[in-house]
């Protein structure tokens, strides 16, 4: 019999720490003859409907996300789109999940990674203990790790799983010891380089009344390229497909034939609307990105893939290696959506009837009652955070947005942050920077004009600034040649970033043309790359400001590791708040910076 989640948590030990470290899927079809077809599933019939509720990329968003982070786009029947405002928030997510479970005797809740990390101050200030506590209350059964679970390294992930007070910050509430996650984190493709053993449990078997479903959890193979190297020393991140296929065979040998992969890697649907039919005109034709090749090669033994990482919404079918359709889902990010998938389990074969699988994404609206236990949790932690979070650090005249649309390459907030980094690192004694580069994934939320508390509209609090820049990466100023700068721009759209471009946010005075009608590195019009109107000279040396993550080659920018003469400055959060303070007052608030530094040809 499979261990209960709590027992599983106790048994789950990180093995490598000692080494230093409402889119409906197109699979809906008539159930086989004799299928129950009931919502709850019969306990004695041959067929049982198992409800799989899933979500991904919560990133510690306990309070309702604001601005663009709290919106979704909906595709209407006439083909036009509308914006759904004010969605998400764990108080509402809890209510929606609890309502969805009603009447479903067989219901399991799973997540596809990045539950923590890059979190707003309410969670991040306390090393994400509040979010883990909330997930325990949500009755999460199992989750894969994502890259952000490694933000503070493998040792901290061990604490998140197993409990205990933080090694330097200690216990945050007097008389209370952090209990850790009641659910198992799965990390099948994260192994100790020397022993080859998985860092965490590779799979989890969920069981109810003889119905067994196996979950295999993996993070993207490229995790090592997008987290701090120091925290993952001694770890290897393996191929997603090879790992899933390996453990699918292990589960089969254990008599588990119904298998779901929880995969922290995803795709890019052709539309940003959460209810876009990415199976039109054919299975999976409306989605691109890494998940497509992965799904086409994962063993047919796996019945469904729950994915994440790209923060997109989809419920598609992509053919498996046998050519049979298989559901692949993602529920956007920040708790704005959850996915409800029906898995019809055949007691005779112990397998899922794939032709009967159906998936739909559901909006976490705020028109339902708040879950009182979540409200109490948020109130309790807010009281501890308030003295720090409520301190004013600047003023803005309007929302400064950070669009989540994957094709919004230049973002107003990205421009503001790059300008702040340039100003902070430009003085000769600070590094002498001439331009700044900011990775788009490090900008986590918009700055919203409407007050989040009692501070008043237009006031930016420390907590809000922290939510935008939660990593507190140290800033650096480095030497790069003009040729290396151009290569950096080309690496935004080639190599590891060709399928899903990572367009750096750039400081004022740095300009170029991005031609998306071309492929790979050719998308950068080299002759257009200029600094203050002067063409970049490949042989000249430039001083460039960037955070240490980028300076280490993060996000696929390998050329940045070739920098010279590095000078380390203040943290990215400190230069951001200093810029807000220097450039805004209550009577002269900061306006959103204009875009146009990057000319995009589509």
């Amino acid at each position: 019999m499979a261990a209960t989640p709590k027992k599983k948590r106790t048994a789950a030990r990180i093995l490598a720490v000692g080494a230093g470290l409402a889119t409906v899927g197109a699979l809906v079809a008539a159930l086989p003859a004799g299928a129950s077809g009931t919502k709850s599933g019969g306990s004695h019939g041959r067929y049982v409907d198992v409800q799989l509720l899933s979500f991904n990329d919560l990133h510690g968003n306990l309070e309702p996300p604001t601005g663009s982070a709290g919106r979704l786009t909906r595709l209407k029947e006439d083909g036009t789109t509308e914006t759904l405002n004010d969605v998400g928030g764990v108080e509402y997510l809890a209510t929606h999940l609890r309502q969805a479970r009603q009447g479903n005797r067989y219901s399991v809740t799973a997540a596809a990674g990045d539950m923590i990390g890059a979190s707003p101050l309410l969670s991040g200030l306390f090393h994400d203990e509040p979010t883990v506590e909330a997930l325990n209350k949500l009755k999460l059964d199992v989750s894969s790790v994502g890259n952000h679970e490694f933000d503070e390294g493998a040792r901290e992930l061990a604490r998140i799983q197993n409990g205990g007070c933080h090694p330097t910050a200690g216990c945050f509430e007097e008389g209370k010891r952090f209990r850790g996650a009641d659910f198992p984190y799965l990390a099948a493709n994260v192994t100790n380089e020397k022993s080859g053993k998985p860092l965490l449990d590779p799979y989890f078997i969920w069981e109810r009344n003889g119905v067994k479903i196996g979950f295999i959890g993996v993070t993207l193979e490229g995790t090592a390229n997008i987290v701090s190297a120091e925290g993952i020393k001694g770890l290897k991140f393996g191929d997603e497909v090879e790992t899933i296929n390996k453990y699918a065979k292990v589960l089969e040998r254990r008599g588990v034939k119904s298998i779901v992969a929880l995969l922290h890697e995803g795709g890019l649907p052709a539309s940003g609307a959460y209810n876009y039919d990415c199976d039109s005109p054919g299975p999976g034709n409306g989605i691109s990105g890494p998940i497509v090749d992965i799904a086409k090669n994962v063993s047919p033994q796996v019945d469904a893939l729950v994915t994440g990482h790209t923060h997109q919404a989809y419920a598609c079918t992509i053919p498996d290696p046998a050519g049979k359709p298989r559901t692949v889902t993602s529920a956007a990010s920040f708790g704005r959506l959850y996915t409800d998938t029906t898995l019809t389990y055949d007691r005779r074969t112990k397998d899922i009837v794939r032709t009967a699988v159906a998936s739909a994404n559901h909006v976490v609206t705020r028109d339902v009652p708040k879950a009182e236990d979540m409200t109490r949790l948020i109130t309790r932690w807010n009281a501890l955070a308030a003295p720090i979070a409520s301190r004013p650090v600047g003023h803005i005249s309007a929302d400064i947005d950070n669009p989540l649309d994957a094709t919004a390459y230049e973002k107003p907030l990205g421009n503001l942050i790059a300008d702040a980094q340039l100003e902070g690192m430009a003085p000769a004694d600070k590094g002498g920077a001439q331009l700044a580069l900011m990775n788009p994934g490090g900008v986590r939320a918009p700055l919203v004009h409407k007050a989040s508390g009692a501070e008043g509209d237009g006031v930016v609090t420390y907590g809000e600034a922290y939510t935008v820049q939660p990593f507190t990466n140290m800033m650096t100023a480095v030497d790069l040649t003009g040729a290396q700068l151009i290569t950096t721009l080309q690496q935004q759209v080639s190599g590891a970033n060709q399928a899903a471009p990572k367009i750096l946010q750039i400081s004022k005075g740095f300009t170029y043309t991005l031609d998306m009608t071309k492929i790979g590195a050719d998308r950068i019009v080299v002759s257009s790359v200029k600094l203050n109107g002067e063409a970049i000279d490949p042989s000249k040396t430039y001083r460039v400001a960037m955070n240490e993550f980028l300076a280490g080659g993060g996000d696929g920018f390998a050329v940045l590791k070739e920098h010279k003469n590095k000078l380390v400055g203040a943290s990215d959060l400190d230069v951001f708040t200093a810029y807000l303070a220097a450039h805004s007052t209550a009577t002269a608030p900061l306006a959103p910076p204009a875009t146009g530094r990057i000319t995009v040809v589509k």
Side-chain angles (χ1 to χ4, degrees):
M1 180 177 292
T4 63
K6 185 64 179 179
K7 289 180 180 176
K8 199 71 172 180
R9 178 183 73 80
T10 303
R13 292 288 185 264
I14 290 201
L15 303 177
V17 168
L21 339 185
T23 298
V24 181
L27 298 182
V28 182
L31 287 169
S36 68
T38 61
K39 183 180 180 183
S40 60
S43 59
H44 302 293
R46 175 175 173 180
Y47 298 99
V48 174
D49 283 349
V50 178
Q51 178 190 58
L52 170 61
L53 300 175
S54 59
F55 55 100
N56 51 276
D57 296 276
L58 180 65
H59 290 290
N61 277 262
L62 301 179
E63 295 179 294
T66 57
S68 57
R71 299 180 192 133
L72 287 169
T73 300
R74 176 179 172 270
L75 188 63
K76 298 195 292 186
E77 290 185 6
D78 63 4
T80 62
T81 60
E82 64 177 348
T83 299
L84 302 182
N85 293 300
D86 301 327
V87 299
V90 75
E91 294 159 293
Y92 306 102
L93 175 62
T95 298
H96 280 280
L97 291 178
R98 289 163 183 172
Q99 290 178 347
R101 291 177 186 136
Q102 292 177 7
N104 287 280
R105 183 172 181 178
Y106 296 86
S107 183
V108 56
T109 303
D114 279 8
M115 295 294 97
I116 60 174
S119 305
L121 184 137
L122 176 61
S123 186
L125 186 64
F126 305 105
H127 299 274
D128 282 311
E129 290 183 18
T131 294
V132 175
E133 181 183 345
L135 292 171
N136 289 344
K137 291 179 181 294
L138 280 176
K139 303 299 182 186
L140 182 63
D141 289 293
V142 60
S143 179
S144 68
V145 295
N147 54 288
H148 282 283
E149 265 79 19
F150 292 93
D151 281 350
E152 295 189 48
R155 289 184 181 275
E156 173 64 1
L157 179 55
R159 189 184 74 89
I160 290 294
Q161 177 71 88
N162 298 314
C165 296
H166 191 271
T168 57
C171 294
F172 297 111
E173 295 180 288
E174 188 174 350
K176 289 187 179 180
R177 180 181 181 275
F178 176 56
R179 61 187 281 187
D182 288 348
F183 54 91
Y185 262 121
L186 305 182
N189 67 330
V190 186
T191 57
N192 182 303
E193 283 182 333
K194 293 182 179 178
S195 70
K197 293 182 179 180
L199 177 74
L200 288 167
D201 290 342
Y203 62 84
F204 168 73
I205 300 172
W206 177 87
E207 182 178 1
R208 293 291 184 277
N209 299 321
V211 175
K212 294 182 180 180
I213 297 179
F215 290 87
I216 302 167
V218 298
T219 185
L220 70 155
E221 184 180 8
T223 291
N225 297 323
I226 53 177
V227 300
S228 173
E230 185 64 28
I232 57 169
K233 281 183 178 179
L235 297 181
K236 179 182 178 181
F237 293 82
D239 181 85
E240 304 96 335
V241 172
E242 291 178 6
T243 304
I244 293 170
N245 291 349
K246 170 186 175 179
Y247 285 104
K249 291 178 181 177
V250 171
L251 285 168
E252 285 266 348
R253 289 197 295 269
R254 291 197 58 180
V256 179
K257 297 183 178 181
S258 299
I259 301 172
V260 175
L262 304 176
L263 169 63
H264 192 70
E265 179 60 289
L268 301 168
S271 167
Y274 82 88
N275 59 334
Y276 163 69
D277 181 7
C278 49
D279 282 342
S280 179
N285 283 358
I287 189 169
S288 61
I291 195 58
V292 177
D293 285 339
I294 291 173
K296 288 181 177 179
N297 288 285
V298 164
S299 168
Q301 293 171 291
V302 175
D303 298 296
L305 281 73
V306 176
T307 73
H309 187 57
T310 58
H311 291 200
Q312 303 300 303
Y314 47 86
C316 299
T317 60
I318 299 176
D320 68 15
K324 296 181 180 180
R326 175 170 54 196
T327 189
V328 180
T329 67
S330 174
S333 60
F334 306 155
R336 295 174 293 156
L337 291 174
Y338 71 92
T339 310
D340 191 334
T341 300
T342 299
L343 302 173
T344 299
Y345 182 91
D346 185 337
R347 287 185 181 274
R348 185 176 300 173
T349 66
K350 300 182 181 180
D351 208 349
I352 299 299
V353 182
R354 288 262 292 272
T355 55
V357 175
S359 293
N361 274 327
H362 298 276
V363 180
V364 177
T365 60
R366 299 179 193 169
D367 59 357
V368 298
K370 294 181 180 180
E372 293 182 2
D373 57 340
M374 295 299 173
T375 301
R376 289 193 297 270
L377 181 152
I378 290 170
T379 300
R380 194 178 91 243
W381 286 102
N382 261 331
L384 293 173
I388 298 172
S390 60
R391 177 168 60 87
V393 295
H395 300 79
I396 55 175
S397 63
D399 288 357
I400 303 181
D401 213 355
N402 181 51
L404 297 177
D405 183 353
T407 62
Y409 300 125
E410 183 184 353
K411 307 169 192 285
L413 187 52
N415 287 354
L416 172 62
I417 289 171
D419 289 349
Q421 294 182 349
L422 174 59
E423 182 169 297
M425 302 300 289
D429 62 339
K430 302 293 185 183
Q434 298 166 275
L435 70 144
L437 305 175
M438 175 64 196
N439 54 304
V443 186
R444 305 306 302 183
L447 280 180
V448 179
H449 185 264
K450 183 177 175 60
S452 59
E455 73 275 9
D457 291 350
V459 177
V460 180
T461 65
Y462 182 83
E464 291 165 340
Y466 182 100
T467 298
V468 171
Q469 293 262 263
F471 297 111
T472 55
N473 278 312
M474 302 309 291
M475 289 302 303
T476 69
V478 302
D479 283 352
L480 292 176
T481 65
Q484 289 171 325
L485 260 179
I486 291 169
T487 299
T488 299
L489 298 182
Q490 292 172 331
Q491 288 182 347
Q492 298 176 117
V493 288
S494 63
N497 294 328
Q498 181 161 325
K502 286 189 174 69
I503 306 302
L504 296 166
Q505 306 300 283
I506 56 178
S507 56
K508 58 188 174 184
F510 190 48
T511 57
Y512 69 95
T513 296
L514 177 66
D515 188 348
M516 296 304 290
T517 66
K518 297 182 179 179
I519 301 296
D522 290 339
R523 287 174 165 174
I524 302 301
V525 180
V526 173
S527 61
S528 72
V529 184
K530 297 179 181 180
L531 179 60
N532 299 322
E534 182 177 330
I536 291 293
D537 182 345
S539 63
K540 187 177 177 181
T541 296
Y542 298 85
R543 290 292 284 171
V544 185
M546 66 187 76
N547 59 44
E548 287 219 280
F549 171 73
L550 275 180
D555 271 354
F557 293 98
V559 69
L560 294 180
K561 291 190 290 185
E562 300 171 11
H563 67 260
K564 295 180 180 179
N565 299 323
K566 181 171 76 171
L567 187 148
V568 179
S571 74
D572 52 6
L573 179 59
D574 285 345
V575 299
F576 181 46
T577 55
Y579 186 88
L580 290 172
H583 292 272
S584 68
T585 64
T587 55
L590 186 67
T595 55
R597 301 172 187 185
I598 305 172
T599 300
V600 181
V601 178
K602 296 183 180 180

